[in-house]
Amino acid sequence: MDFTLNEAERELADLTRKILNGRLTPERMRAVEAGDGFDRALWADLAGAGILSAALPEALDGAGLGLLAQCCVLTELGRAVAPVPYLASIMLGASALARFGTPQQQDRWAAPAGRGEIILTAALAEEDGEDPRAPSVSAERMPGDSEGGTGGGGWRLSGVKTTVFAASQAGLILVPAATPPGVTVFLVDPAGDGVTVQPQRITGGTAGRVVLDGVLVPADRVLGSPATGRDITGWLLAHATVALCARQLGVVERALEMTAEYARNRVQFGKPIGSFQAVSQRLADGYIDVEAVRLTMWQAAWQLAAGQPAETAIATAKFWAADAGHRVAHTAVHVHGGVGIDLDYPLHRYFLAAKQGEFALGGATTQLRRIGAALANSA
């Protein structure tokens, strides 16, 4: 197990940081937040530099760098709290289509997503359940469809997904739904009849509550097959969780850097506050937490990329992203004092982003239950 980044991964991370540096000024961030929360100009810059397509297969005009490179990009985006849907569109949507989609599906959606021409996303979270592999959204086969799901009748979907990243901008949503075979993943047009997207605001992007009211999905809009839907949903959940951990690493890493710099420069009683024992101890605890997020994220990503069993490693990484993310976010605000929650000061965005990363797809307690169940069921 070697977590050392190769040259291509380091160069991709460096290029991402170079593009972000200086672009996301406080004025620009406020302008984006006053709109729909999506920085289209930055997205176009990332696409033009080849960052969006870099990890996609060469057959889709990518460089084939894979999951670890995507985590490098997400860490840099987290450091800037960049309001772009890389996690949703590239790491989930395009990558899932590249792995499980038909050539027609890949050409229609995955390749354009790598060029930044369309936004994709996946709808995993629900309001009445915490495991996307057991969705309450349901689908029934329409007359004329075959048992294999490849006939002409199609499917009808009903239910609600929540906190769907970039739902308002998406041109396609991957939706796991309960079907008689188990779980099937559908490719849903958010502009279709019966689909309602209710915007939800989050830091570093946008999300939406997606209501499906008898939505008719053609038979050729199934990802993989009904028989493989549960495995595809597990793939989406694993990659989404690692992606959240990678983004959280960037968020807490930069938040701690900002806090340490403030503690060095803020003077009280004739001394920098960083020289006070209580402050220095909190900074030290934050450093340990950030390193724990870093190491567990890369271990989970490495195992997942290598095709090794990774469920417990992923839950461990998400536990640290949630638990340590909570502590670092609160340390940052407490050390800054009142300025830490001033909307004219950038730290508030990191606090909100860290809280989002803490709870998305299950907080610390949820991850501990998953780890405990895995240990109890192991031979």
Side-chain angles (χ1 to χ4, degrees):
M1 186 178 294
D2 183 1
F3 299 158
T4 304
L5 299 178
N6 62 36
E7 182 178 1
E9 292 160 352
R10 291 195 301 271
E11 289 179 351
L12 183 64
D14 290 343
L15 177 59
T16 304
R17 183 176 297 194
K18 181 178 179 181
I19 290 174
L20 295 172
N21 279 347
R23 277 175 168 81
L24 294 178
T25 62
E27 294 77 17
R28 180 166 176 170
M29 291 292 284
R30 283 194 291 269
V32 171
E33 291 164 354
D36 65 357
F38 174 30
D39 192 330
R40 289 170 174 79
L42 176 58
W43 190 244
D45 289 341
L46 294 171
I51 290 171
L52 302 187
S53 62
L56 297 179
E58 294 180 2
L60 298 177
D61 300 324
L65 298 184
L67 174 63
L68 300 184
Q70 291 176 327
C71 290
C72 292
V73 172
L74 277 166
T75 299
E76 294 301 325
L77 294 175
R79 285 180 57 87
V81 198
V84 292
Y86 183 90
L87 189 160
S89 190
I90 303 302
M91 195 155 182
L92 296 184
S95 295
L97 285 164
R99 182 175 178 90
F100 302 107
T102 65
Q104 293 77 15
Q105 291 170 345
Q106 292 171 1
D107 290 342
R108 183 171 181 180
W109 292 298
R115 297 190 294 267
E117 297 170 358
I118 186 175
I119 304 298
L120 310 176
T121 191
L124 298 176
E126 297 184 340
E127 296 172 332
D128 52 357
E130 64 179 19
D131 188 353
R133 293 166 295 189
S136 61
V137 169
S138 62
E140 59 175 332
R141 186 180 285 115
M142 301 304 294
D145 203 11
S146 66
E147 287 297 315
T150 58
W155 300 76
R156 191 175 295 278
L157 275 64
S158 298
V160 178
K161 298 285 187 178
T162 190
T163 325
V164 180
F165 296 136
S168 297
Q169 292 79 34
L172 187 74
I173 305 176
L174 281 61
V175 179
T179 58
V183 178
T184 302
V185 179
F186 297 92
L187 307 178
V188 175
D189 179 359
D193 292 340
V195 183
T196 302
V197 178
Q198 302 166 346
Q200 297 172 305
R201 295 302 297 267
I202 60 175
T203 300
T206 63
R209 182 175 184 264
V210 178
V211 180
L212 307 168
D213 185 11
V215 178
L216 182 62
V217 179
D220 63 357
R221 294 288 188 92
V222 171
L223 184 60
S225 70
T228 60
R230 182 173 175 82
D231 290 340
I232 296 173
T233 304
W235 186 97
L236 286 168
L237 177 61
H239 283 71
T241 305
V242 169
L244 287 167
C245 294
R247 186 175 185 269
Q248 185 80 323
L249 170 60
V251 169
V252 297
E253 181 180 65
R254 181 58 187 143
L256 185 63
E257 290 173 1
M258 294 170 62
T259 306
E261 181 180 2
Y262 183 83
R264 287 193 298 269
N265 296 320
R266 180 73 166 95
V267 175
Q268 283 283 3
F269 309 107
K271 296 181 179 180
I273 63 172
S275 66
F276 301 153
Q277 185 179 28
V279 174
S280 64
Q281 285 179 341
R282 292 201 70 172
L283 293 176
D285 288 342
Y287 173 82
I288 298 300
D289 277 335
V290 171
E291 291 307 301
V293 175
R294 188 191 316 280
L295 291 173
T296 54
M297 184 278 288
W298 283 119
Q299 178 174 342
W302 187 90
Q303 289 182 216
L304 190 61
Q308 297 183 3
E311 186 170 355
T312 300
I314 292 170
T316 302
K318 186 57 170 66
F319 167 80
W320 279 103
D323 205 48
H326 172 93
R327 286 192 295 271
V328 173
H330 283 264
T331 290
V333 169
H334 291 165
V335 171
H336 276 83
V339 72
I341 56 173
D342 189 331
L343 297 184
D344 290 327
Y345 190 75
L347 185 68
H348 75 278
R349 295 187 180 91
Y350 291 85
F351 181 85
L352 294 173
K355 300 304 288 185
Q356 176 199 334
E358 177 182 353
F359 293 110
L361 295 182
T365 300
T366 297
Q367 307 310 320
L368 288 178
R369 287 203 298 267
R370 289 172 179 168
I371 294 169
L375 292 173
N377 294 327
S378 62

